[in-house]
Amino acid sequence: MSESAAMGLYLYCISVQDPKAGPLIVAAPALDGGAVRVITCDGLAVAVHACPVEPYHGSEDQVRSWIQAHNDVVTEVWKAVGTVLPMSFDSIIAGDSGRDAETVLADWIDHNREALAEQLKELSGKVELGVRVYSEVAAERGGTEESARGREYFRKQVQKRQETQDRQARRNAEANRIFDALSAQACAVRVNPPNPITPPAIGEGRQEMLNVSVLVDGEDVSEVGESLDEVCAKGYAVHFTGPWPPYSFAGTVRVSEDGSRQ
């Protein structure tokens, strides 16, 4: 394998090339601290940097730093052009015996151009918001075991279980109501796994009841914020982040050595 084929291209994001605009210059450094360049292919622009084909493996702190650098590049391009298709972290395209990585990339873009253009069209003008909602954790009643015996003890245990179930049912009902309200405002809503880490701003004594990513038109961000103000007015705490590039709604886009999408 030639030296050029042994090298790869790390992919950050894809955007539409504006023929009326000048060359897109990315100031944010690449994962390795070097320069990011933009390759134009068939009406699309791809932010990349040259790299070995090995995955980016390292300590937890190092990986976190790489992910932040990846996000910085994607965010800069997103702010400059308005719409991007973010690539997942550690997406690397390799050359082969007959083509260097840039040729493989160009062939892949040519093969997938219509699908990529359609995704970019669907994401045009849209942003991602993060919404996590928390309810108060009810204080446990103390002294049940000490003050109750026999049938009274079991009655109170049943009562306590029923109260716990009722509280959870109310939380679920409210979470569903909030989800439905967000869905009515959004282009799409994705439910995320529960996050065990509570943001410091939320404080202690609260339980996460909803964790979603929301895709909305950029002009509707304030409207979503206003609806979440109403949620806070009901005594719930809300952790609201964004707007961000639409990572959660872009899908996982990877490229194999033969130029096919994985």
Side-chain angles (χ1 to χ4, degrees):
M1 181 180 292
S2 67
E3 182 178 353
S4 61
M7 291 297 289
L9 290 173
Y10 183 97
L11 310 182
Y12 292 92
C13 60
I14 301 173
S15 61
V16 176
Q17 179 187 4
D18 184 353
K20 298 180 181 180
L24 177 62
I25 305 298
V26 180
L31 270 65
D32 59 4
V36 174
R37 65 190 183 101
V38 178
I39 298 175
T40 56
C41 304
D42 220 1
L44 300 177
V46 190
V48 305
H49 81 261
C51 67
V53 297
E54 291 80 10
Y56 277 80
H57 289 160
S59 66
E60 183 177 342
D61 287 343
Q62 180 64 76
V63 171
R64 187 181 298 112
S65 176
W66 283 331
I67 291 175
Q68 183 60 58
H70 178 102
N71 292 344
D72 289 345
V73 172
V74 174
T75 300
E76 182 179 339
V77 176
W78 173 62
K79 289 181 177 179
V81 303
T83 302
V84 297
L85 182 61
M87 307 294 281
S88 58
F89 169 71
D90 209 18
S91 293
I92 298 173
I93 188 169
D96 56 31
S97 57
R99 302 174 298 172
D100 61 17
E102 190 163 339
T103 301
V104 174
L105 174 62
D107 290 345
W108 178 78
I109 291 291
D110 180 64
H111 183 73
N112 295 279
R113 180 174 54 83
E114 290 186 7
L116 294 170
E118 182 62 27
Q119 287 189 66
L120 284 163
K121 182 179 178 180
E122 291 176 356
L123 296 174
S124 179
K126 297 178 177 63
V127 300
E128 179 173 333
L129 306 173
V131 178
R132 295 166 65 185
V133 182
Y134 297 81
S135 62
E136 293 280 1
V137 176
E140 293 290 339
R141 294 183 180 181
T144 300
E145 290 78 3
E146 297 179 0
S147 60
R149 295 292 185 271
R151 292 181 179 179
E152 180 65 12
Y153 169 80
F154 289 108
R155 187 189 68 78
K156 289 191 175 184
Q157 290 296 306
V158 170
Q159 181 183 10
K160 184 162 65 173
R161 284 196 298 271
Q162 186 61 54
E163 289 173 350
T164 299
Q165 292 172 0
D166 290 345
R167 285 194 298 271
Q168 187 61 51
R170 288 193 295 271
R171 280 195 294 266
N172 291 342
E174 183 63 16
N176 288 335
R177 190 199 66 77
I178 297 170
F179 179 89
D180 290 344
L182 289 172
S183 297
Q185 294 176 300
C187 303
V189 180
R190 174 167 293 180
V191 178
N192 301 318
N195 192 328
I197 301 176
T198 301
I202 297 300
E204 298 180 356
R206 291 187 179 272
Q207 176 181 351
E208 183 183 271
M209 55 186 281
L210 184 67
N211 182 357
V212 294
S213 297
V214 183
L215 183 71
V216 299
D217 288 323
E219 60 188 18
D220 293 337
V221 172
S222 59
E223 181 181 340
V224 175
E226 290 172 2
S227 67
L228 293 174
D229 287 341
E230 296 176 3
V231 173
C232 292
K234 293 184 177 181
Y236 299 98
V238 175
H239 190 243
F240 181 44
T241 58
W244 313 110
Y247 285 102
S248 299
F249 302 91
T252 300
V253 181
R254 287 187 178 273
V255 183
S256 64
E257 290 188 2
D258 63 1
S260 63
R261 185 169 173 179
Q262 296 180 326

